[in-house]
Amino acid sequence: MTYTIPEKIIETIRKSRRMVISTGAGISAESGIATFRDPVDGLWSQYDPELLSTPEAFRRDPSLVWGWYETMRGQMRNASPNPAHHAVTELTVIVPEVALITQNIDDLHERAGASDVIHLHGRVFDSRCFACARPHYRRDIPATLGGPIEPPRCGHCNGRIRPGVVWFGEQLPQRDVKRAFDAAKRCDCLISIGTSGEVNPAATLPDIALDSGASVIHVNIDPWCQHRPNEYLLEGRASEIMSTVLA
Ligand code: BV8
Ligand code: ZN
């Protein structure tokens, strides 16, 4: 099915001089990476991702949480950027000023050629000591994935190593939050791709943009949208819609 983008939306994107592109798990879904709301298969199906993504869960069972993130890291390493990631990169080249903000912890925007990506919730490929916060570098991904794995130890204080992501209940990096909020206030157009808009403070970006007089375009297979003035919904798969936007 070829997707037709309403002329008004095409015009809004074409005229944009200061754009924010805000992405969630839905942009990586077509690269084979499960979203938070997708049912998770195998061992992990008995766990709620939100309950594993907390410091309390890591304190309670570090091997289970570390194993969960190593499985994700393996999945993300084997995934490839899809046409939506490439279309976003193209927009960052065409539009004079673009802030690319993602809630995703994968590196598919970078592997699609984007730079200066604001990862509001960190990156699964970063890790640090849970006790002293010193960065920990590792390249290998364990051969056997899919279950609990004992996390490595910090060379400095012997504390357990944790993924470099922001867990529920943890503060986001304040510098990144400020950059993201300032960009949402300045922009003339914010495109939100593949997010359920359920996690704060990332979920406030579209409203900040609307309140500042910008247009907001949601790209989602699920037609959720507040339908405020200047707020639009493009219902469908991110790769199909974003490729059509750039066609
Ligand atoms: C904070 C990293 C201040 C880890 C993530 C009670 C106690 C403590 C805090 C709270 C509380 N109540 C509320 C809060 C705040 C909390 C929050 O918002 N909770 C929600 C659940 C209510 N937020 C926080 O805790 C944040 N910190 O507030 O600090 C503070 C400090 C102390 C005490 C109080 C406050 C930290 C939030 C960051 C959490 N870390 N990720 C990891 O990834 O494992 S969040 C994680 O979930 C993701 O990063 C992402 O942000 C979020 C999932 O959202 P989406 O990306 O939108 O994904 P989702 O699956 O939901 O939706 C996918 C969408 O794509 C769907 O709409 C679908 O239709 C669409 N889609 C699917 N396929 C496609 C598609 N669209 C297009 N094309 C397709 N093919
Ligand atoms: Zn340490």
Side-chain angles (χ1 to χ4, degrees), residues 129 132 154 157 159:
C129 176
C132 74
C154 168
C157 76

Side-chain angles (χ1 to χ4, degrees), residues 1 25 33 43-44 49 62 68 96 103 111 117 127 129 133 152 175 189 193 199:
M1 168 197 131
I33 295 175
L43 165 95
W44 304 115
W68 160 252
Q103 299 171 74
R111 286 164 57 198
V117 182
S127 51
C129 176
R175 184 176 162 275
C189 172
I193 306 172
V199 176

Side-chain angles (χ1 to χ4, degrees), residues 23-27 29-30 35-38 49-50 53 68-69 72 103-105 121 165-172 193-202 219-222 224 236-239:
T23 66
I27 197 171
E30 291 165 84
T35 70
F36 273 73
R37 269 111 198 115
D38 282 345
E50 281 181 28
S53 307
W68 160 252
Y69 280 95
M72 244 197 271
Q103 299 171 74
N104 298 341
I105 59 175
H121 297 157
V165 301
V166 179
W167 278 326
F168 288 100
E170 291 188 319
Q171 293 282 4
L172 279 66
I193 306 172
T195 178
S196 60
E198 294 193 8
V199 176
N200 285 305
V219 175
N220 202 316
I221 52 173
D222 171 8
W224 79 272
R237 289 183 304 110
S239 60

Side-chain angles (χ1 to χ4, degrees), residues 20-24 103 190-197 206 216-220 224:
V20 166
I21 303 172
S22 170
T23 66
Q103 299 171 74
L190 181 144
I191 306 179
S192 172
I193 306 172
T195 178
S196 60
V216 166
I217 299 159
H218 296 279
V219 175
N220 202 316
W224 79 272

Side-chain angles (χ1 to χ4, degrees), residues 53-172:
S53 307
T54 65
E56 295 72 29
F58 187 76
R59 280 193 198 92
R60 196 172 45 247
D61 191 337
S63 296
L64 182 74
V65 175
W66 181 257
W68 160 252
Y69 280 95
E70 285 297 77
T71 304
M72 244 197 271
R73 191 163 72 103
Q75 235 191 27
M76 292 171 175
R77 173 58 81 240
N78 295 332
S80 307
N82 66 58
H85 294 105
H86 291 294
V88 163
T89 302
E90 220 178 305
L91 275 176
T92 64
V93 174
I94 299 170
V95 179
E97 186 185 314
V98 177
L100 174 50
I101 302 163
T102 188
Q103 299 171 74
N104 298 341
I105 59 175
D106 62 51
D107 60 351
L108 295 181
H109 279 304
E110 289 84 352
R111 286 164 57 198
S115 53
D116 193 20
V117 182
I118 301 174
H119 281 269
L120 282 182
H121 297 157
R123 294 166 23 91
V124 77
F125 297 102
D126 296 340
S127 51
R128 64 175 187 270
C129 176
F130 191 65
C132 74
R134 268 178 172 72
H136 176 85
Y137 300 99
R138 68 201 197 289
R139 271 177 310 285
D140 63 303
I141 290 182
T144 42
L145 291 170
I149 302 176
E150 177 63 28
R153 291 283 178 162
C154 168
H156 176 78
C157 76
N158 201 39
R160 287 192 172 91
I161 299 301
R162 59 162 288 174
V165 301
V166 179
W167 278 326
F168 288 100
E170 291 188 319
Q171 293 282 4
L172 279 66

